[in-house]
Amino acid sequence: MKIFSFHLRGKMAHFRKYYSNSSALSYFIPPRTTVAGILAGLLGRERDTYYHEFSLEKCQIALATRAPIKKCMQKLNLLMIKGDRDFNGSAEYPSQTATEFIIPHNLQKGYIDYQIWVVHEDDKVMTKLENLIKKDFVGYFSKGISVALGTAYNLGWLEKGRLIEGKEIKATTVVNINSVIPQKKCVEIVVDEVADGQYRLIKEEVPLEFDKDRKITPHGLGNMIINLTGQPVKVNIDSFVCLENGENITWME
């Protein structure tokens, strides 16, 4: 199969957890729904019109952390904006909100680097994405949005877009997986011969799919195993995709 791959990079990120209330907590990775929103925005789709086009049935998405990341908590002074004059901060009732941010492990020199793989059943969508994110161009073209890592004030960029070949393998076997891993596909995490600092594993339940009313579908939540160091994880897994460069990934589902 043909798979479109690209990198989403930036200095800071915030992917708000759907159950956050007074404190704005963040996922470590962009949920599948966030990635679908970025792709739809690049293609110029209107807000809330693309959920079926990028459903689990029509589009497969995998994601990997390619650089070590961590979290920090900061207080933000949020303004109540009701009109143009409220942007200067003079309006009443500002709200100080604790907000979690994803940052590089080395904040001074590093950056956040997510690699994303996409397969869409519509070849026209694949071709358009390939034209918007060029292989040898740091940046991107867009028919709609500017790319951000979650919230709009965490601007990012896209690069290294390219088509690669991959082969889906359905057989329970032990392999190194480079992407985040759906818990339901993982039989066992193999921890023999693990070097110090190779693994910082966490599990997060992330949104995968919305219906047309922006509600999570019956299969729209999934537990993902994430290695925060950016290194591959050796697992016994029931299915995966082997790429032409020898790396292995699993779809978020």
Side-chain angles (χ1 to χ4, degrees), residues 6-16 25-31 34-35 37-38 63-65 67 69-70 99-104 110-116 140 145-159:
F6 63 95
H7 286 254
L8 168 63
R9 291 173 171 167
K11 199 67 175 178
M12 299 179 70
H14 174 76
F15 309 109
R16 185 174 177 125
L25 304 178
S26 174
Y27 298 106
F28 270 104
I29 60 171
T34 300
V35 177
I38 291 173
L63 181 145
T65 58
I69 52 177
K70 60 183 179 181
T99 305
E100 262 187 344
F101 287 97
I102 311 303
I103 58 175
Y111 52 84
I112 299 168
D113 184 1
Y114 300 111
Q115 185 172 5
I116 296 169
Y140 58 94
I145 65 164
S146 298
V147 169
L149 281 74
T151 44
Y153 48 76
N154 292 309
L155 289 175
W157 69 93
L158 307 174
E159 60 178 290

Side-chain angles (χ1 to χ4, degrees), residues 16-199:
R16 185 174 177 125
K17 292 185 175 180
Y18 67 91
Y19 52 81
S20 285
N21 43 43
S22 58
S23 296
L25 304 178
S26 174
Y27 298 106
F28 270 104
I29 60 171
R32 185 187 177 282
T33 48
T34 300
V35 177
I38 291 173
L39 298 175
L42 290 172
L43 293 167
R45 305 293 192 264
E46 293 291 333
R47 182 175 180 173
D48 297 336
T49 64
Y50 58 84
Y51 300 139
H52 180 65
E53 183 179 12
F54 288 91
S55 64
L56 289 167
E57 181 183 352
K58 293 178 175 293
C59 181
Q60 294 168 303
I61 296 172
L63 181 145
T65 58
R66 288 302 199 182
I69 52 177
K70 60 183 179 181
K71 286 183 178 180
C72 72
M73 182 74 81
Q74 297 288 331
K75 289 285 185 68
L76 298 185
N77 288 319
L78 303 182
L79 303 178
M80 181 177 290
I81 305 296
K82 293 184 176 179
D84 295 342
R85 296 182 178 179
D86 296 332
F87 284 101
N88 62 12
S90 61
E92 296 180 340
Y93 310 118
S95 174
Q96 194 169 68
T97 303
T99 305
E100 262 187 344
F101 287 97
I102 311 303
I103 58 175
H105 199 264
N106 184 333
L107 181 59
Q108 188 173 26
K109 297 181 179 179
Y111 52 84
I112 299 168
D113 184 1
Y114 300 111
Q115 185 172 5
I116 296 169
W117 297 268
V118 180
V119 173
H120 198 284
E121 67 171 17
D122 189 341
D123 291 338
K124 293 179 181 177
V125 172
M126 296 288 283
T127 302
K128 289 178 181 177
L129 289 174
E130 187 181 4
N131 292 331
L132 293 173
I133 310 170
K134 302 290 187 179
K135 179 179 179 181
D136 300 317
F137 183 73
V138 180
Y140 58 94
F141 301 93
S142 175
K143 297 183 180 299
I145 65 164
S146 298
V147 169
L149 281 74
T151 44
Y153 48 76
N154 292 309
L155 289 175
W157 69 93
L158 307 174
E159 60 178 290
K160 295 185 176 180
R162 65 190 179 111
L163 281 176
I164 58 175
E165 287 288 338
K167 180 180 179 182
E168 190 151 15
I169 297 175
K170 294 185 178 180
T172 302
T173 185
V174 175
V175 292
N176 286 318
I177 298 294
N178 295 79
S179 65
V180 302
I181 305 166
Q183 183 188 12
K184 65 182 183 181
K185 287 178 174 283
C186 181
V187 179
E188 179 185 22
I189 298 174
V190 181
V191 295
D192 59 336
E193 302 177 355
V194 175
D196 288 344
Q198 182 177 345
Y199 287 169

